[in-house]
């Protein structure tokens, strides 16, 4: 284990920002703290970096205590690299000098060697003499990451590093950042509100809401087995429909009797994702199409069941149904359904 964050608590003006916040990161892993604005994810990152001081809890990095009730190691002594949201490159320094900024304890030849290695790593071997204003946003992002990696820190923290880039570039660079971190065998924690970025970069994702960690899991685990209704609502696409548990362990819904992942009773909400359903002209279960949008390689439909509940579905561009049509639908999901008490 490279990083152990245990029971952090922090409040601003009496309002809790972090509550019983804990997770552990294995060496070489990349993790993302994911959640909506104001959930506490950036504050958690700043506590790990040493820019904020928690009121309770502990932080250990590579076997060394960085924070506890009696100890608070200053940020510059934590052996942590940081990539800021705006990259924070020094405008008066060229790319090579920006990358070498944290290498003051190295000889000139060692600095030059490390800078050369990193310029090759980030795919900018001929850009050492360029200045930040001469670079694109994506190139600046890679230089900022190289600067953070230069002193070979125990951990790298990334604070929404792609937020200022266009969506296409964000997608490409998220995969590139993961490759660079793995190639350097550096553990990292990234903060984002974009689940696509989190899934592209991370081995583990911590889903946060109201200062609490709702679930710490692989991207696939979060999507397939959400632990709370908050996780289910945030991750992926989906709509809840009402259900009532019966004595057999199944639940009754407008879609029929379904088997849920846990032994629950009473009134429930069942998560229905678009890919759980498909159109079927022969199905006795029908719904009305209430809206339709073209999504490129599919149509995005909203449906209304006979009991008034809504469903979200994707359909092939070969199946072009009109708004107002009533069409048969069938269940194609395999396995148990995620359910949560109402």
């Amino acid at each position: 284990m490279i990083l152990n964050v245990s029971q952090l608590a922090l409040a601003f003006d009496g309002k809790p920002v972090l509550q019983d916040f804990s997770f552990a990161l294995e060496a070489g892993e990349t993790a993302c703290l994911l959640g909506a604005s104001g959930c506490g994810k950036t504050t958690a990152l700043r506590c790990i970096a040493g820019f904020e001081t928690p009121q309770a809890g502990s932080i250990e990095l590579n076997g060394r205590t960085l924070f506890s009730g009696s100890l608070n190691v200053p940020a510059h002594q934590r052996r942590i690299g940081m990539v800021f949201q705006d990259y924070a490159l020094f405008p008066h320094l060229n790319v090579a000098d920006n990358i070498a900024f944290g290498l003051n304890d190295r000889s000139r030849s060692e600095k030059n060697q490390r800078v050369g290695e990193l310029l090759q790593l980030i795919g900018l071997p001929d850009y050492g003499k360029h200045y930040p204003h001469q670079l694109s946003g994506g190139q600046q992002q890679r230089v900022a990451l190289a600067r953070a990696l230069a002193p070979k820190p125990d951990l790298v923290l990334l604070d929404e590093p792609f937020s200022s880039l266009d969506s296409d570039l964000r997608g490409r660079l998220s995969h590139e950042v993961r490759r660079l971190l793995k190639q350097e065998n550096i553990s990292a924690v990234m903060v984002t509100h974009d689940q696509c970025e989190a899934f592209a970069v991370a081995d583990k994702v911590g889903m946060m809401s109201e200062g609490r960690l709702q679930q710490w899991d692989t991207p696939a685990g979060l999507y397939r087995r959400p632990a709370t209704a908050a996780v289910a609502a945030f991750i992926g696409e989906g709509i809840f429909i009402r259900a009532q548990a019966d004595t057999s362990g199944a639940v009754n819904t407008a879609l029929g009797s379904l088997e849920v992942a846990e032994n629950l009773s009473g009134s429930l909400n069942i998560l229905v994702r678009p890919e759980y359903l498909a159109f079927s002209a022969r199905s006795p279960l029908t719904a009305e199409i209430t809206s339709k949008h073209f999504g490129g390689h599919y149509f995005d439909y909203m449906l209304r069941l006979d009991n008034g509940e809504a469903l979200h579905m994707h359909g092939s561009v070969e199946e072009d149904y009109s708004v107002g049509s009533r069409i048969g639908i069938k269940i194609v999901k395999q396995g148990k359904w995620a359910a949560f008490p109402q």
Side-chain angles (χ1 to χ4, degrees):
M1 182 188 308
I2 188 76
L3 176 66
N4 186 32
V5 177
S6 179
Q7 297 183 312
L8 292 191
L10 179 60
F12 295 140
D13 298 324
K15 181 181 179 181
V17 179
L18 294 176
Q19 305 178 71
D20 194 24
F21 182 79
S22 305
F23 72 89
L25 185 68
E26 298 296 328
E29 281 188 331
T30 300
C32 280
L33 300 179
L34 174 67
S37 297
C39 71
K41 58 187 184 296
T42 296
T43 299
L45 200 76
R46 289 176 61 82
C47 287
I48 297 168
F51 302 147
E52 298 284 355
T53 303
Q55 288 147 352
S58 64
I59 303 170
E60 295 180 2
L61 178 61
N62 205 15
R64 185 168 64 112
T65 299
L66 302 183
F67 172 80
S68 67
S70 58
L71 176 68
N72 188 19
V73 175
H76 66 280
Q77 295 178 3
R78 293 195 174 196
R79 289 191 53 79
I80 292 176
M82 189 83 185
V83 179
F84 295 95
Q85 190 170 346
D86 61 357
Y87 313 138
L89 297 176
F90 300 109
H92 64 290
L93 298 181
N94 63 28
V95 166
D97 289 339
N98 262 285
I99 295 173
F101 185 78
L103 300 176
N104 291 330
D105 58 338
R106 312 285 180 92
S107 68
R108 180 178 294 275
S109 62
E110 289 175 325
K111 281 185 183 181
N112 291 338
Q113 180 179 350
R114 182 61 174 157
V115 169
E117 291 172 354
L118 288 166
L119 286 171
Q120 288 287 344
L121 185 70
I122 64 175
L124 299 174
D126 301 322
Y127 282 73
K129 294 184 179 180
H130 285 62
Y131 284 83
H133 72 273
Q134 297 173 307
L135 306 179
S136 69
Q139 290 169 334
Q140 290 183 40
Q141 190 270 344
R142 281 184 279 169
V143 173
L145 179 60
R147 183 179 62 184
L149 294 174
K152 298 186 177 181
D154 293 330
L155 180 71
V156 168
L157 304 178
L158 302 102
D159 184 10
E160 302 218 34
F162 313 117
S163 61
S164 63
L165 305 176
D166 63 71
S167 59
D168 182 59
L169 186 56
R170 284 203 305 269
R172 295 203 307 271
L173 282 176
S174 58
H175 293 285
E176 182 73 5
V177 165
R178 177 175 172 83
R179 181 189 69 80
L180 294 173
L181 291 169
K182 293 300 181 184
Q183 193 163 332
E184 284 283 287
N185 194 30
I186 294 287
S187 305
V189 179
M190 185 176 89
V191 157
T192 183
H193 64 275
D194 186 324
Q195 60 187 278
C196 293
E197 288 177 9
F199 286 7
V201 171
D203 302 298
K204 296 287 177 59
V205 178
M207 176 67 207
M208 293 186 65
S209 177
E210 296 180 346
R212 296 183 183 276
L213 196 62
Q214 299 286 319
Q215 187 172 350
W216 179 261
D217 209 333
T218 63
L222 278 179
Y223 189 87
R224 296 172 183 165
R225 299 176 298 277
T228 67
V231 175
F234 191 89
I235 298 295
E237 298 176 299
I239 289 179
F240 292 109
I241 63 170
R242 298 185 298 273
Q244 187 68 39
D246 63 26
T247 55
S248 70
V251 296
N252 299 310
T253 76
L255 295 176
S257 181
L258 306 176
E259 187 179 5
V260 298
E262 297 182 39
N263 186 18
L264 299 171
S265 60
S267 298
L268 306 172
N269 287 321
I270 303 289
L271 176 65
V272 184
R273 297 199 187 278
E275 66 269 24
Y276 294 177
L277 305 170
F279 290 117
S280 175
R282 297 179 181 179
S283 174
L285 178 64
T286 63
E288 179 188 355
I289 297 174
T290 58
S291 70
K292 167 188 168 185
H293 301 284
F294 183 62
H297 61 285
Y298 64 91
F299 282 114
D300 196 35
Y301 293 98
M302 289 300 297
L303 311 178
R304 182 168 55 230
L305 295 169
D306 288 342
N307 70 347
E309 290 187 293
L311 292 175
H312 183 193
M313 284 183 58
H314 295 157
S316 165
V317 292
E318 306 302 324
E319 300 175 308
D320 188 355
Y321 300 112
S322 302
V323 173
S325 299
R326 179 166 287 275
I327 191 69
I329 58 175
K330 66 179 181 179
I331 295 171
V332 294
K333 174 179 168 54
Q334 302 294 316
K336 298 181 179 181
W337 297 64
F340 308 94
Q342 284 186 2

